[in-house]
Structures are given as C-alpha cells and as structure tokens.
Amino acid sequence: MNANGDGMAQARETGTLGKLMVLLDLVTHADAPLRFTDILSLAGQPRGTLHRQLSHLVEEGLLELDGDGRYAPGLRLLDFAARSWARNEFRLIAEPHLAALQQVTGETVHLGVLRGQSIIYLDKVEGRQPVRMYSQIGNASPCYCTGVGKAALSLLPAESLADLLAGVNFTRFTAATHASPASLLAEIHEIADQGYAFDREEHEAGIRCVAAPIWSEDRTFLGGVSITGPAYRLSMELLAQWAVPVQQAAGSIMEGMRIRLGPRR
Amino acid sequence: MNANGDGMAQARETGTLGKLMVLLDLVTHADAPLRFTDILSLAGQPRGTLHRQLSHLVEEGLLELDGDGRYAPGLRLLDFAARSWARNEFRLIAEPHLAALQQVTGETVHLGVLRGQSIIYLDKVEGRQPVRMYSQIGNASPCYCTGVGKAALSLLPAESLADLLAGVNFTRFTAATHASPASLLAEIHEIADQGYAFDREEHEAGIRCVAAPIWSEDRTFLGGVSITGPAYRLSMELLAQWAVPVQQAAGSIMEGMRIRLGPRR
DNA sequence: ATAGATTGTTCCATTATTTGGAACTGAATT
DNA sequence: AATTCAGTTCCAAATAATGGAACAATCTAT
C-alpha cells in the first residue's frame, strides 16, 4: 500500500502545486513507466482526483501518457532544464576552472551544489571519452557519501548540520558508507579543519574522489568541486596530493563569484 | 484524441497548474534573472497573487530566489530532466543507430521529436571535440526551419499540418528561412515524396543538414534523425548522398521501436 | 461467448484553495 | 524628513480542487 516508511515528510505548504510535485516525483523516480493504478496505490489519492491531476500534468507536457496507458516523464522538462543549465551563473563562472583542473589531473572533474539533503551535479568535465551527457549532470546524489557533499556539509554551523542530518536516511551503498550521523560528524569536523574531503569508495565501490568546498560570503550557497576516478588508478596518496589543486580551483571559482556577483547582501 | 471541434487554441484547462507554468515559462525564457516587478509587469497578475505563486515555485525548487531578489530557474528542474532523459525509451532505442551514423559520416548526428510546434532535441552524437552537454539536448527549436522539423511535418495529414502551421510565427533567422506557410508547404510536399529533408542554412547561417523522418505505426509519434555540419564542408551534393544512410538509420530506429514497444497503440 | 473482476473516465455537490484589493513594512531617493 | 518604489502580509469573496459514486471500457477465467 502506501507504505511511506519513516514519518510524514510531506508537510509542504505549497497547496495544489505541492500535490502535483509529489506525483511528478513518483513518476520520474520510478524505474519504469507507471500505469494509472500503480500511481493510484503509491499516491493514495481518490481515483477521480488523481485522474484530473495526471491529466493536467500531461496537458502541460510535464508527463507523457503513451498508448498503453503508461505515464512517463514529459519532454517539456528537458526544455526547462536546458535553459536552467545554460544560464546558470555559478556554472558559467566555474566552467573554465573545471576545464583547467581536468587538464592538470587528467581525471573527471565535477561541480555540485547542496540542495536540501542532496548534491545536485551541475557540470562535469571528463578525460578521454566523449561525455554521455546527462550521465551525471542534473543527478541528485546523497550528501553523506560523496566528496562534494561532505565538503559542503563541513561549511554548515553545528546546529544547521544537526537539523539537516536528522532528516537523512543513511543508506549503505558500500562497506565504506557512513552508517550513522555520529561517524559522519567526526569526519566532517576533520574536513572542516583541513579544507578538503575524500570519498573513499563510499558511494560506489571502486570509485574515489577528493573534493573542496565552495561557498558564498554569507554561507547561503554551499557546493564543491571534485576529482573522481577509479580506485586502481587513484591511490589515496595521489588523491591527497590533488587536494591542493582542487582547493585552488575552488578558490578561483569563489573569486570569480565575488567579482561577478558583487558584494551583495 | 483532441475532440476539440472549435479551435480554442490557447485556452488551457489546467487550472492552477497552468497559471504556474506560465510563470515558469516566463522565468526560464528570460535572458537574465527577473526581479519581482519585472515578472509583475509581464504576467499581469495582482501583486499578492503573484507573490504567493512565486513563493510556492521557489519552495518546490522550480525557481530560485537569490539575495538580490532575482528569480532564476531552479535546479530541481535539472534533476527531473536527468531522469526524464536517462529513461526515455525512444532515445535508448535510437542511441546505437545514432552512433553508427556518426561513424559513417564523421559529422554531428541529432535525434529530435515534434512537440507542439517545436522540435525538441533528445540526443546528439558529435564528431571530434567533446560535447558541451546541454548545448543542443533539450533545446526546443522551430519546426519550420530545421531538417528534423520539416521531416516530421511531412508525415502529418494535410489538415493537421494546416492547423499546426496556422499557429506558427514565422521568424526569419536567415535569408533562406521560409517566410510563409505557402513556400514551406510546397517544400513539405516534396519532402513527403522523397522521404528526406534538407536544411539549407535556414536556421543558422553556414549550417546545413539532411534529415529523415521517424514515426510510430499510428503516426502519433513524429520525429527524425539528422546529420548536421558547416556548409563549407557539407556541399549539397554530399548531403544528397547522405540521404541514404540517414534514411537507413531512421528505418533501423523504427524497427527497434516496433520490436521493443510491441504491436500496440 | 459470457460473467465477473479489473482498470480507467466522467459527473457534481461539497470543501478547500486561490484570488485580488488594500493596508503595511522597509529600503532607496530626493 | 518626506516621498517614492519594491516587496510582503491579510482576509472576505471567487474559484478551483476534492472525492464518492456511477459509468465505460478492458481483461480473465470459465
């Protein structure tokens, strides 16, 4: 049934929009296109209501309904996202610095921002092979097991950090994934001291990274840059050496933001 | 089925959602982030109403409000789009055929779908240099001046075509852009006969392409594949030769759809 | 083929949300 | 200090969303 697991996280105050977003989330997070009845049981809404809601989403192009009555994410989302990405100021500022960092290390470079409890990857510069485009960009990953995520968390004041972690559901992706707030907190203090973070195969087995935090003057904006690669090629010693160039890249990006965005607020 | 006998074009029946989408459109189509007052004048809504609507969009992450009170597209759109793209069945089916076509010609290959009066580019395989990711993917381009667009239009029955063109605003991007439905219609008949379409620098000066149409059995789904490149390298003679491989790729993709999606619809 | 179950769609009185005018706050400008 | 301008909050009235129930269209198992 509507086994929502832990607690009611849906205390949104966005009225009609909030209800529709829950549906959009359901459909876009599903592994395969959903039938009307699938959504019915997941959303727990009356049939009539759900039918109208889905119709509206389809009419607006946010969902698509195929001939077999299956609902899939709509292509209008792509159009919105393309614009959102192309004009994103932070990404535009960071772009050249990411490319430079990739040149120096030869490995894949990521740029991410903290949104809620997730890191959203805004850009990626890969080494050899051509990019499979949305492979990582736009992806929302957990903050507690990614380099960029932990770097961003290390910037938060203790109280906000506690609040944020209280809502996190710790999924163990690998043997190295932090399983509780306690062990994560200890590492985050360390990260705050040294100014960079590692991902020791915590999100994906065989993948390591080193990341440095990026923040705005008022600490409203939290994100990071990282260098990622396979563990067989990236020893922990090598990663530790790369902490310096990653921090420098982060510094350059912050400088770029200061200049471009001005001394506001 | 649109049993809409009378031609109420713009009257969307999506209630609250429709109004919010207008705002999202405004903000994502703007050249720069908009202030509250900018949106106020564009949207023509009462202040109180607009304020609540924008707040809801921000709270849901569809818009972002920076410290200077400027509204920009939200990053949640990226997350939605990444999923929408990654799981898109049509794109997954077409992917290998696009790569093959790129190998044969060495030029950039595009995959697009007709949505309303626009072509939305779903994928892109580039020749040499690494892809700048959202450069084209997700982009919505006019149907009347792109190869994929004209190929898709050539599949429409006369009446639907007339209806669609009635709503098109013919912007002349270059000297070669069709300026009226009349000249476009003539070319579309030709395209329908021969089974492929050219873009003779109609959208962007110096850029040519040849495209072949793709459709589902019931002609509900219309799209196309194209090979695009600079005019100095792609003579019209060369493009004409490539009509064959492009049509073959389109055929393979349609075959893939038939197998994967079954004889339904 | 037929009955019965399942799935999807439409209707409409009730209920809840949205609306929009107006009054309020705070910052920038004169 | 006075005046505009930009943004926010409030609440009765207008409007849209809700959800139960009836209806229609498919599927499934005799």
Side-chain angles (χ1 to χ4, degrees):
Chain A
M1 297 308 221
N2 49 1
N4 249 358
D6 34 53
M8 307 185 59
Q10 301 293 355
R12 284 204 186 118
E13 281 305 318
T14 51
T16 305
L17 177 63
K19 296 164 197 160
L20 294 174
M21 295 300 285
V22 170
L23 294 181
L24 244 190
D25 256 334
L26 274 177
V27 174
T28 53
H29 281 75
D31 292 330
L34 297 172
R35 317 282 309 278
F36 180 85
T37 319
D38 302 329
I39 306 177
L40 188 62
S41 63
L42 288 168
Q45 300 249 43
R47 301 155 87 82
T49 301
L50 181 65
H51 187 260
R52 178 183 38 75
Q53 290 172 330
L54 291 174
S55 304
H56 284 181
L57 288 168
V58 168
E59 193 167 343
E60 288 292 343
L62 299 176
L63 291 181
E64 307 213 340
L65 177 58
D66 71 18
D68 296 339
R70 301 179 312 168
Y71 289 88
L75 295 187
R76 176 118 91 117
L77 292 168
L78 275 191
D79 182 39
F80 280 135
R83 293 175 203 284
S84 158
W85 188 81
R87 293 204 241 286
N88 185 277
E89 277 192 325
F90 175 53
R91 200 205 104 247
L92 287 166
I93 293 168
E95 201 165 37
H97 305 293
L98 303 181
L101 190 56
Q102 193 279 325
Q103 283 295 316
V104 170
T105 62
E107 295 290 343
T108 299
V109 171
H110 280 121
L111 178 73
V113 197
L114 184 67
R115 281 297 125 95
Q117 301 169 1
S118 301
I119 289 295
I120 295 191
Y121 288 107
L122 263 183
D123 211 341
K124 173 185 188 177
V125 182
E126 234 177 291
R128 306 284 178 279
Q129 68 267 48
V131 187
R132 205 70 284 256
M133 358 256 145
Y134 281 69
S135 65
Q136 202 67 243
I137 294 179
N139 220 312
S141 297
C143 59
Y144 60 90
C145 62
T146 53
V148 171
K150 292 189 292 182
L153 291 183
S154 78
L155 300 168
L156 282 171
E159 200 183 334
S160 321
L161 180 59
D163 287 354
L164 190 152
L165 292 185
V168 171
N169 185 7
F170 284 80
T171 305
R172 294 202 76 183
F173 295 98
T174 74
T177 311
H178 283 287
S180 73
S183 64
L184 177 61
L185 268 175
E187 192 193 352
I188 284 178
H189 287 137
E190 208 179 309
I191 293 168
D193 284 344
Q194 58 195 15
Y196 56 88
F198 293 118
D199 166 1
R200 301 175 175 86
E201 311 188 35
E202 295 160 47
H203 188 30
E204 204 177 331
I207 301 291
R208 285 186 182 140
C209 103
V210 56
I214 297 176
W215 63 89
S216 61
E217 285 177 29
D218 60 353
R219 303 262 168 153
T220 287
F221 176 97
L222 305 179
V225 223
S226 70
I227 305 175
T228 314
Y232 72 82
R233 202 159 59 205
L234 277 60
S235 66
M236 288 308 295
E237 290 71 34
L238 182 56
L239 274 189
Q241 286 174 31
W242 280 349
V244 177
V246 174
Q247 284 181 294
Q248 284 171 346
S252 305
I253 293 169
M254 285 189 274
E255 177 66 2
M257 287 167 68
R258 208 183 55 70
I259 293 167
R260 175 91 90 98
L261 302 180
R264 59 157 192 240
R265 285 179 233 187
Chain B
M1 304 182 181
N2 49 353
N4 254 355
D6 54 68
M8 295 274 276
Q10 291 291 0
R12 287 224 180 100
E13 281 305 317
T14 51
T16 305
L17 177 63
K19 295 164 197 160
L20 294 175
M21 293 301 285
V22 169
L23 293 181
L24 245 191
D25 256 335
L26 274 178
V27 174
T28 54
H29 282 75
D31 292 329
L34 298 172
R35 317 282 313 273
F36 179 86
T37 318
D38 302 330
I39 306 177
L40 188 62
S41 63
L42 288 169
Q45 301 249 45
R47 300 157 87 82
T49 300
L50 182 65
H51 186 259
R52 179 184 37 77
Q53 290 172 330
L54 290 174
S55 304
H56 284 181
L57 288 168
V58 168
E59 193 166 343
E60 288 293 342
L62 300 176
L63 290 182
E64 308 214 340
L65 176 58
D66 70 18
D68 296 340
R70 301 179 312 169
Y71 289 88
L75 294 187
R76 176 118 91 116
L77 292 167
L78 275 191
D79 182 38
F80 280 136
R83 294 176 203 283
S84 156
W85 188 81
R87 292 204 242 285
N88 185 277
E89 278 192 323
F90 175 53
R91 199 205 107 247
L92 287 166
I93 293 168
E95 202 165 38
H97 305 294
L98 303 181
L101 190 56
Q102 193 279 324
Q103 283 294 317
V104 171
T105 62
E107 296 290 343
T108 299
V109 172
H110 280 121
L111 178 73
V113 197
L114 184 67
R115 280 296 125 96
Q117 302 168 0
S118 300
I119 288 296
I120 294 190
Y121 288 107
L122 263 183
D123 211 341
K124 172 185 188 177
V125 182
E126 232 178 292
R128 305 285 178 278
Q129 68 267 46
V131 187
R132 204 69 287 252
M133 358 257 146
Y134 280 71
S135 64
Q136 201 67 244
I137 293 178
N139 219 312
S141 297
C143 60
Y144 61 89
C145 61
T146 53
V148 171
K150 292 189 292 181
L153 291 184
S154 77
L155 300 168
L156 282 172
E159 199 183 334
S160 321
L161 180 59
D163 286 353
L164 191 151
L165 292 185
V168 172
N169 186 6
F170 285 81
T171 305
R172 295 202 76 184
F173 294 97
T174 75
T177 311
H178 284 287
S180 73
S183 63
L184 177 62
L185 267 175
E187 191 192 351
I188 285 178
H189 287 137
E190 208 179 308
I191 293 168
D193 284 345
Q194 59 196 16
Y196 56 87
F198 293 119
D199 167 0
R200 301 175 175 86
E201 310 187 37
E202 294 159 46
H203 189 29
E204 205 177 332
I207 301 291
R208 286 185 182 142
C209 104
V210 56
I214 297 177
W215 64 90
S216 63
E217 285 178 28
D218 61 354
R219 305 261 168 153
T220 285
F221 176 97
L222 305 179
V225 223
S226 70
I227 305 174
T228 313
Y232 72 83
R233 200 159 60 205
L234 278 61
S235 66
M236 289 308 296
E237 289 71 35
L238 181 56
L239 275 189
Q241 285 174 31
W242 281 348
V244 176
V246 174
Q247 283 180 295
Q248 285 172 345
S252 305
I253 294 169
M254 285 190 274
E255 178 65 3
M257 287 167 68
R258 208 182 54 71
I259 294 167
R260 176 92 89 98
L261 301 181
R264 283 285 187 77
R265 285 180 168 225

